[in-house]
Amino acid sequence: MATINPGPFETGFNDRMFEEKWKWSHQNEYFTSRDSIAETEKVLEEQYDPEDMIAKMVEVIEADSHHFRTAFPQETENNMKSFEQETWEEKV
């Protein structure tokens, strides 16, 4: 068994995700401005080539032994670990 967490790869999934929010997000009902929400869409300009993720999945799937969880590319793994560490140590 393996869990693979892909970063932002240009597969169309991320694009659809960002498009869908405008169907239910109505400016006069929410506190977050449309400009602020639209700012997050800049990640679409920095998506990775999906061929790299496909190669990584094949590598993990075919391996006799691998980590339970694989995040790819390395930047995504680093960001996930950093976020999880911050929330683990957060006090309320």
Side-chain angles (χ1 to χ4, degrees), residues 12 16 33 55:
R16 297 303 82 71
S33 72

Side-chain angles (χ1 to χ4, degrees), residues 65-88:
S65 178
H66 52 73
H67 289 103
F68 172 77
R69 185 176 187 186
T70 299
F72 186 78
Q74 188 63 48
E75 178 184 1
T76 297
E77 179 179 334
N78 295 345
N79 289 339
M80 289 172 65
K81 286 180 177 178
S82 174
F83 176 77
E84 290 169 8
Q85 186 64 41
E86 289 171 16
T87 56
W88 186 263

